[in-house]
Structures are given as structure tokens and as C-alpha cells.
Amino acid sequence: MSSPPYPEDLERPGLVRTGRSTFVRPVRPEDADRLVAFVGGLSRATLAYRSLGPVVRARDDVIRRGAHVDYLNELALVALAGDEIAGLVRYVRDPEEPEHAEVTFTIRDDHQSEGFGRLLLEHIAAAARARGIRVLEADVLADNTRMINVFLGSGYRVESGPPGQIVHFEIAVDPQAQAVARAERREHTAVRRSLRPLLEPGSVAVVGANRSPLTIGHEIVANLLRGGFRGTVFPVNPRADQVAGVRAYPSVRELPEVPDLALVAVRAEAVPDVVRECATAGVKAVVVVSTGFGETGVEGRATELELARFARASGMRLVGPNCMGVVNTTPAARLAATFSPALPTPGRVAMSSQSGPLGLAVLDFARRLRLGFSGFVSVGHAVDVSTNDLLQWWEEDPETSVILLHVETFGNPRRFARVARRVAPRKPIVAVHPGHADAAVGSLFAQSGVIRTRSLQELFDVALLLAHQPPPPGNRVAVITNAGGPAALTVGACDASGLRVPQLAPHTRESLRTALSPRADVTNPVDLTPMATAAHYRQALDAVLADDDIDAAVVLFMPPLADKPDEVAAAILDAAEAAPSKTVVASFLGGAGVADLLHRGQLVVPTYAFPESAATSLGHAAAYQTWRGTPAGVIPDLAGVDTERARALVADRAPGPVPARIAAELLDAYGISVQDADSRGPDAFLSVGADPVFGPVIAFGLTGDYADLMADVAHRVTPLSDRDAREMVRSLRAAPLLDGRVGGPGVDLRALEDTVLRISAMVEDLPEIESMDLRPVRLLPPGDGVAVARATIRLADDTRRGGPS
């Protein structure tokens, strides 16, 4: 008989309440000796809680059998501390009630009160839910208050039996909103605590510190000293007495104190031993700048993943490998743990980059733009510390107001969506991703409120605006210029960026006529003519910024011989300072960034080399502000949904396409009827595909040429909120056909949104569904609903089902 497949999808890094790193995975047969050592190290009190009464030590052979499970009807998860087990949770399915299972928790004495119980409950609940278990049952001694508090504080729906010596709990593992919220709060607190030794260390070791200038190890030490780091720097080099004028030490274990952070700049083959030495010494965070890992192939990837597993099990966070380090310019840190020759000036922007070499160019470019950074982390291959973690750090950093992301891959896109949705309303997140045509990435960013840019140049253009100006409250723009050609380009760029250049109000035009030359054009754009003075710019800006129908101004200045640029710049700054709630950007002197002339203390007007860049950045900022002002979406409770019936229909069914009758019954269980109707409007399709990274992705479009020729298709990553569904069906270029703006009364948009939400709920509840296609979907007039004429559903094979998200 073949052994059961090991569920690698249940291997997960974890953080307990104290911020300690751990690694959670299913138990394996080779863990038998670890289990014996684990149980042998438990105190009599812990054993009494585990056995619900008098202490009876089990025989070693019985304990060893606990390492053999089928991962379906019996599952055990272990949380590791180094190579030892810190906590164990196990469920055994009830054969008479297959949706129930008995669960037991055991935490090693020296790790109790750290949060291992709550972490393991979250992991076992997700695993049980994916395996068709709906209720976990546990018996707990009445004086085991720690475990009782774990259950009661989990956020899951918990029922307990009458008070007595033993309390019986039944824990419904469906993801209640309260449980999700509490898990997110616990994770947020744990992530921030775990990152403090990385981003605000009290001492730093540099392993591989070199005596020769312009080498990576030497430049890291030099930058730490040059950047004003207030803690102690320990160069580690067995063949050097000093590095950069600082005493060096032969190894980490010979340092006079345990550093919070270690940077590793040694050959790839030496990195694992250095990381183990750091773990033994008690280092809390490691940055591996060394190359020669995942970029070299399969073996290198396996090595870096094993590094990450070891670090998490040892209680360390790890950045990299193949990264350029960490920078934190805030007063609490002044950390320049990088070999970059260009160090950023302090500012309000934080950035995470997945490319090490790109980071060097980014920091140099930012300095030339005079764009200041509060923090910069090059995560490299991101085998442990990821963009998701850094978002949660910068979320509460008072020195950070804008977050930039260079993202090549997503480790956990659903976690990214949860965190970004929480952060983006407070702090804009601007991202660049190399997959320009990737529908799943675009959907994820759109649903999360992330501003997606097409290039690094555009990323920094938007950052300049958001770091120095308020996002505009609307999309109405005034253009002020002294040259007609650039103004025409700006108007076209505004239109392409979703902005409007409306006619100015009568009183504004009259004010401009009074103040300006008779030759000036006072419509919009406001053309001051090449002879315009600084006073004309000030008067024009004052007038348009005072107009309640204008949200922002783009100021164009082409320097003629008749006036001094510094005087025009001063006039622009004065006008911007007098109207702090309005957004002002410029295309000034052909320069980009924060030109010296447009910088006065904390007041900055960003200037761009070309007016199109100014308009594009303004368009992104206006769209972000609109998103931020729209009520947040919720995942609604849908009437008429029978999840138990649906689960029974797919239970034990073979992978592949399901019969049409079963497909219709599945949809009916979610309140969607499969029945044709007379076509009285446009026909559409709704489909679901399983993206290997993002999970289920819903696609919606009109059938025929709209989708086939125009690629007019909207995508969203599940689960969808009511806001996601509303925005999705209205995001098509053909939306005027749907809402009645052209071609008739339109369609029943509410019924269409409701159908989208039901499809989302269905694929979330039933991970067995690999794909679905509803085509055609008859879109009927308002009040008449929608009709699904035909449905095709395909189930995944067992290897692709289940697993916590």
C-alpha cells in the first residue's frame, strides 16, 4: 500500500504574538524521535492538561506512531523552534460524523504564553476546513485557562458545555469575519515585533566585512558608520584586526554581545554555516546579500528555501538572498545597512524592491530627483521577509506617507490584498510590475487600491506628486502656460489620464481678463503668452485655484528671454502655499524631480521634464483619491445559498467536467437558475479560471466582437466584495450599453452584480472547482434579472484541491 501524499501546501512560516519566527508543517514519519523528545520534555502539569487528569506517560512506541498520519482523517501540525518541536496540534475525524473532528493542543512549557496555541489553531482550522471538517471538538480541564482563552478569543463561533471539571468546546471553523479580523490583528502585531530587530536594530554584525574599500563587505560597514547608525557595528572577518577603522572579530560567536541584525556577505556555499552560527548565537534578523542561489537554478532555489525554513524555525527573520540591504533613515534608526554608493536623503517615501541590482539605480535616481526616503528594503528573492511584511511595518510608521513597490512575484497574493486594502486608504501604495498584460495582477491592484504604473519612471513621477502635494479631490484641471504647443499636449494627456480640462467659471475668466494682458487666452488652457511675467503667473494661479470647479493646476513654463525663471518659480510657490488644498504640478525648465527653484522648506511643487508626465501622475493621484473616497466594500451574506447541498454534490466526485444536470444543481444551490430566456439585450459571459498564483479569477465581458476583437474583458480575484462586483461590471468599455447611456434602457445591473457575487462565493466555498463558464448569460432589462442559458463546470484533481489561503 502506497504511503499518503505529504501536503506541502500546509508548510507555512509563522509568527507568534511575541514576534518570534517559527515554521509550521505537517508531521512526518521521520519526526518520530522528535515527538519522543517533545513529550519527554513536558512537565507533569502540561501532561495533566494533555491527558485530562492523572499523568500517565505513554510508551515511546506509542508516541512514535503519532508521526504516521494520513493527512486527511488524521492530521498533526508541528511548530518548530530550531530543530525541536515547540507545539503540536492534532485532529482525528469522527467516523460517525465526518464533518466533526476531535482536536488536541500541546505546547512545550518554555513556549507557553507566547501565542503558539492561537497560531496553531488558525493553521489547523484552515487545514480542517479544506478537508471537509466543519467543527473541531476539544475537551479542556476547567483550570486550563490559557487554552480556554485561546478558543474564546479566536473569533470563531465557539460553543461550550456546562461548567464542570472538564469543559467541552465545539469550534465552527468556517471563516467568520470576527475570526479573520482577530487573526489579522494578531498577525499585524507579530509582524511588526519580528521586524524591529531588522529595521531598528541596536547593534549590527557584518559577516564578510572586507578590509579593501569598494568591496561589498567593506562598503556595508562604511555606510553604517557614514549613515550615523547609533548602535554598535561589529565587522566579522577572521583575517582582519580592523575594518573601516572598527575592531573586527573572527566569528559571530566571539562577539562581545549578540547583535540584533547580521548582514551576510560571503560566498554562497558558506552562507548556510554563517546563518546557523547566527541562530546559535541568538541573532534575531539576517540579511543575506550574497548571490548564487535561486538565480542559478533548481539546486540554488532549494538551498535558499531551506535557509528560510531554518531561519524561521530558529526564531529569525531573513531578508534576501541576492539583495542589496536595508535602509531606514528615520531618527529612531539611521540605518544604512547596504553597499549602495548612493544613500537616500531623509523623506516621506518608503520602497520595497525585489531586484538587488535595480535598487542601486533606484537610490541614485531618487537622489537626483531630490526624492527623500524614510526606508528602502531590497528583499531580493524574498524567501522570508516579503512586501506583505514591509507594508505592515510602514503602515504605522509616522515617518512614511507614501509606499512604493517593485514587485516581480507574489508569495501570498491574498495576504497582499488583505494588507493593501487596509493600508491604501491611509497611505497611497504605488507599484510597478513587469507583467503589463497580466489580468490577475491588474485586478489584484485595482481591488486593493494600489496605483499601478507602467514603468519605474512613472512610479517615481507619481511618488513625487504624492510625497509633496495633496491628491486632487476631483479630476478637473486648469492648465496655465506661456506657450500654446505644450498646452495642447497637456490637454490631450489629461484626457488620456481620465482628467477633464473644463471651461473656467465666468467670474474666474473675468478676474483673469482684468489681471492679464489683453492678448492672453482666459478659457482653459490659460495662455499667458510668451511675454508673461512672474506676476501674471501668480495672478493666474490665484484665480484658478480659487475656482470651486477646479481641483488641480498644471503650470507650464517655457523660459523666454524676457523674464527670470527664479521669479516665476517663486510666484508658483506663493500661489501653491496660499491654496494648500489644491494640487499644483509643473513642467518647468525641462527639468524633472524637485527643482531647486520650486523647493522652499517643506513646500515643494514637483516639476516634470514633459507635460505628459505631469498629467499622467495627476491622473493616477485623482483616481486614487476617488477610490479612497468610495465606501469600502463588504463581502455580503447572500440569501438562498445552501453550501451543504453544494458540498454534497461535489463530494467524492471524479475530477473533470461535471454533468450538465449537476452543474445546474450546483448553481441552484447558490441561487442561480440555469434556464434560457428570450434575448432582449446584450449577451455576456461569466467565467472562472484557476490562476496558479492568485487562485480563482472571475472574468466578465460581452460575447462576440467586444471580447474577441476588442479584448473588452474585466477580471477580478476572488473573494469579491460588493464594491468589487459593482466596479467590475461597470469597468468595460462597453459599459454605456449596460447602464443605458446608449442603445436603450440598459440591463439589470443589480441582478448582474448579485450573480457575480454568488459565483465568487461558490468558488470560495468549493475549492474543488477548477473552472467554470456561464455562456451565454442573457442580460435582461432593469428589474427582469439575468438568465444563465448554459453552464460548464470542471472539478480539479485531488492534488490541486484544498489548502489554506
Side-chain angles (χ1 to χ4, degrees):
M1 181 177 177
S2 61
S3 59
Y6 176 78
E8 290 186 4
D9 60 299
L10 297 186
E11 290 189 345
R12 302 271 171 154
L15 292 169
V16 296
R17 177 177 48 81
T18 60
R20 178 192 174 91
S21 299
T22 185
F23 192 77
V24 179
R25 62 166 174 80
V27 72
R28 300 190 289 238
E30 56 265 34
D31 289 323
D33 289 338
R34 286 191 184 91
L35 287 176
V36 171
F38 172 67
V39 174
L42 300 177
S43 68
R44 292 182 63 84
T46 297
L47 286 170
Y49 284 142
R50 185 173 183 267
S51 60
L52 301 178
V55 175
V56 178
R57 289 196 178 270
R59 299 194 316 270
D60 288 356
D61 61 324
V62 174
I63 297 172
R64 285 192 173 91
R65 282 203 295 271
H68 298 268
V69 297
D70 64 9
Y71 304 116
L72 177 65
N73 297 313
E74 182 180 7
L75 174 66
L77 302 177
V78 294
L80 299 178
D83 198 40
E84 299 177 340
I85 297 172
L88 168 72
V89 61
R90 182 187 305 272
Y91 80 63
V92 179
R93 193 190 300 264
D94 187 335
E96 296 182 0
E97 291 186 84
E99 293 192 345
H100 286 236
E102 181 183 0
V103 65
T104 57
F105 294 78
T106 310
I107 309 300
R108 208 170 74 187
D109 290 72
D110 56 339
H111 291 293
Q112 293 174 8
S113 299
E114 292 184 4
F116 276 93
R118 189 155 294 171
L119 177 70
L120 287 171
L121 174 58
E122 292 170 11
H123 282 253
I124 200 71
R129 188 165 59 244
R131 287 155 177 76
I133 294 170
R134 305 300 158 201
V135 177
L136 294 174
E137 299 187 26
D139 290 321
V140 182
L141 286 178
D143 63 345
N144 189 354
T145 55
R146 288 174 177 165
M147 201 67 240
I148 290 173
N149 289 336
V150 166
F151 293 148
L152 296 180
S154 66
Y156 292 108
R157 189 171 67 253
V158 176
E159 295 181 4
S160 58
Q165 185 178 2
I166 296 175
V167 183
H168 181 76
F169 286 94
E170 293 191 357
I171 306 141
V173 297
D174 282 330
Q176 303 290 319
Q178 187 180 38
V180 173
R182 289 185 180 179
E184 287 184 359
R185 285 198 300 271
R186 186 201 63 78
E187 177 197 63
H188 176 68
T189 300
V191 165
R192 285 189 56 80
R193 286 176 176 168
S194 75
L195 293 183
R196 194 169 300 280
L198 171 70
L199 297 172
E200 293 182 354
S203 54
V204 179
V206 181
V207 185
N210 200 300
R211 288 172 292 189
S212 302
L214 302 181
T215 58
I216 288 177
H218 183 280
E219 293 308 303
I220 293 174
V221 175
N223 278 339
L224 283 165
L225 301 174
R226 186 163 56 241
F229 180 60
R230 295 178 176 178
T232 306
V233 178
F234 298 113
V236 176
N237 184 333
R239 292 180 296 276
D241 296 325
Q242 289 188 343
V243 173
V246 179
R247 179 185 172 185
Y249 295 85
S251 65
V252 173
R253 62 178 173 272
E254 294 178 68
L255 295 177
E257 64 180 77
V258 178
D260 292 325
L261 171 65
L263 283 97
V264 180
V266 299
R267 299 186 315 277
E269 56 269 26
V271 168
D273 288 339
V274 172
V275 172
R276 290 189 192 95
E277 185 181 19
C278 289
T280 302
V283 176
K284 295 294 190 294
V286 176
V287 176
V288 179
V289 302
S290 307
T291 61
F293 291 91
E295 73 276 14
T296 65
V298 176
E299 289 186 9
R301 179 61 176 167
T303 300
E304 67 185 17
L305 291 177
E306 182 55 38
L307 268 181
R309 281 191 288 265
F310 175 80
R312 293 303 291 266
S314 301
M316 293 191 302
R317 300 307 307 266
L318 186 146
V319 174
N322 192 12
C323 71
M324 55 169 288
V326 177
V327 175
N328 186 354
T329 69
T330 62
R334 294 186 180 178
L335 177 72
T338 176
F339 56 87
S340 171
L343 297 181
T345 56
R348 307 289 298 174
V349 177
M351 183 173 183
S352 166
S353 172
Q354 281 192 326
S355 170
L358 184 65
L360 296 172
V362 162
L363 292 181
D364 180 64
F365 187 54
R367 280 191 71 90
R368 288 189 281 116
L369 291 182
R370 290 189 62 179
L371 180 66
F373 276 73
S374 59
F376 180 89
V377 179
S378 168
V379 295
H381 294 171
V383 294
D384 177 27
V385 173
S386 67
T387 295
N388 298 338
D389 296 317
L390 295 169
L391 279 175
Q392 298 191 74
W393 176 268
W394 289 323
E395 177 183 7
E396 293 186 18
D397 179 16
E399 304 296 328
T400 298
S401 58
V402 181
I403 300 171
L404 308 183
L405 306 177
H406 166 251
V407 184
E408 294 179 353
T409 59
F410 290 87
N412 188 332
R414 294 195 170 203
R415 183 175 168 226
F416 173 85
R418 289 199 310 269
V419 175
R421 278 176 169 170
R422 188 177 71 232
V423 177
R426 298 169 52 197
K427 299 181 180 183
I429 303 171
V430 191
V432 62
H433 182 277
H436 297 306
D438 193 323
V441 174
S443 301
L444 186 73
F445 286 164
Q447 290 171 253
S448 307
V450 175
I451 301 169
R452 186 181 187 184
T453 59
R454 295 165 294 184
S455 66
L456 282 169
Q457 178 68 62
E458 191 175 316
L459 179 88
F460 280 100
D461 286 344
V462 177
L464 276 170
L465 190 155
L466 294 172
H468 299 299
Q469 290 284 310
N475 68 344
R476 302 163 300 178
V477 178
V479 179
I480 298 175
T481 183
N482 64 348
L489 291 174
T490 305
V491 172
C494 284
D495 183 65
S497 301
L499 301 170
R500 293 172 50 226
V501 183
Q503 188 174 23
L504 299 174
H507 69 273
T508 303
R509 296 200 303 272
E510 184 59 33
S511 175
L512 290 169
R513 287 192 190 97
T514 302
L516 302 179
S517 162
R519 297 175 56 193
D521 184 346
V522 297
T523 53
N524 194 11
V526 178
D527 189 347
L528 304 177
T529 78
M531 301 305 294
T533 66
H536 290 145
Y537 268 94
R538 174 64 194 272
Q539 290 164 331
L541 259 178
D542 282 344
V544 299
L545 294 177
D547 191 328
D548 291 338
D549 295 327
I550 293 297
D551 302 304
V554 179
V555 186
L556 310 178
F557 178 70
M558 300 297 118
L561 298 176
D563 210 344
K564 296 180 179 179
D566 56 340
E567 293 179 359
V568 174
I572 295 172
L573 288 170
D574 289 342
E577 188 172 30
S581 64
K582 298 291 182 76
T583 311
V584 180
V585 297
S587 181
F588 202 75
L589 301 173
V594 181
D596 290 340
L597 296 178
L598 288 170
H599 188 290
R600 181 192 296 159
Q602 297 299 312
L603 176 63
V604 173
V605 173
T607 183
Y608 299 89
F610 300 104
E612 297 94 332
S613 299
T616 300
S617 302
L618 200 57
H620 281 304
Y624 164 72
Q625 187 69 358
T626 299
W627 177 87
R628 188 162 66 170
T630 304
V634 297
I635 298 176
D637 292 326
L638 300 169
V641 172
D642 189 345
T643 54
E644 299 308 314
R645 176 187 168 202
R647 288 184 181 121
L649 287 168
V650 299
D652 301 322
R653 187 167 292 279
V658 303
R661 178 183 61 83
I662 300 299
E665 288 190 42
L666 278 169
L667 289 164
D668 185 67
Y670 280 83
I672 302 171
S673 298
V674 179
Q675 57 180 12
D676 207 348
D678 294 336
S679 182
R680 290 177 282 155
D683 286 346
F685 67 88
L686 279 166
S687 64
V688 179
D691 186 277
V693 175
F694 295 89
V697 178
I698 297 180
F700 165 69
L702 301 186
T703 56
D705 291 348
Y706 292 102
D708 297 337
L709 298 182
M710 300 171 59
D712 190 15
V713 180
H715 298 83
R716 291 294 184 272
V717 178
T718 65
L720 271 66
S721 69
D722 54 358
R723 173 175 172 174
D724 295 329
R726 185 169 57 251
E727 292 177 349
M728 181 183 189
V729 302
R730 289 166 171 77
S731 66
L732 299 181
R733 294 193 296 278
L737 290 174
L738 305 182
D739 60 21
R741 282 179 284 169
V742 298
V747 305
D748 195 335
L749 286 173
R750 288 194 175 184
L752 177 58
E753 293 165 17
D754 181 71
T755 302
V756 170
L757 289 169
R758 291 176 185 275
I759 294 299
S760 172
M762 183 175 175
V763 297
E764 283 292 301
D765 291 342
L766 305 174
E768 297 87 350
I769 294 177
E770 180 180 70
S771 63
M772 181 188 312
D773 190 66
L774 311 184
R775 187 190 307 255
V777 178
R778 312 290 190 197
L779 304 183
L780 305 178
D784 290 349
V786 300
V788 176
R790 187 168 57 253
T792 303
I793 296 176
R794 182 181 183 86
L795 301 184
D797 60 52
D798 290 340
T799 63
R800 298 182 61 180
R801 299 183 184 188
S805 64

